[in-house]
Amino acid sequence: MSDGAEVPLRELNQQTSRVLARVAAGETVTITKDGVPIGDIVPRGVLTGRPAYPFRTDPMGDLDIPDLGGPVLDDEEIGATLRGMGEDMAGGSDA
């Protein structure tokens, strides 16, 4: 096993328990494929300073929802309707 913090994917595949022992000891290991970093294995609870899954946080603007002429429902009525739909699907039809 190499002494650096980078571990080739092949080495991870062949010596998984050794790599994970390093992580358990507090080391962050960068996995590489063909010399290019593809991911990090970090000890549990360690913050890396970047999100694991990038997501949009910028506002997307106002929604342009067309008026379809239906009834205006409040949140409670919408919730009751959705709960009822789930019961209909789970319980089958009474017809």
Side-chain angles (χ1 to χ4, degrees):
M1 180 121 61
S2 63
D3 292 332
E6 291 189 355
V7 173
L9 184 58
R10 183 177 192 161
E11 186 173 332
L12 175 65
N13 185 35
Q14 294 172 348
Q15 299 183 24
T16 306
S17 61
R18 286 188 181 182
V19 173
L20 293 179
R22 290 170 61 182
V23 173
E27 184 177 349
T28 296
V29 177
T30 299
I31 306 303
T32 61
K33 182 176 182 181
D34 299 325
V36 177
I38 59 171
D40 296 319
I41 303 177
V42 298
R44 186 174 180 137
V46 173
L47 299 177
T48 62
R50 62 185 186 273
Y53 300 99
F55 56 91
R56 288 184 62 126
T57 58
D58 60 318
M60 295 172 49
D62 293 334
L63 295 177
D64 185 18
I65 301 174
D67 182 4
L68 301 176
V72 177
L73 303 175
D74 62 21
D75 289 344
E76 188 174 309
E77 293 170 315
I78 292 171
T81 300
L82 292 174
R83 280 190 298 278
M85 291 172 71
E87 292 168 2
D88 289 346
M89 293 176 73
S93 170
D94 290 332

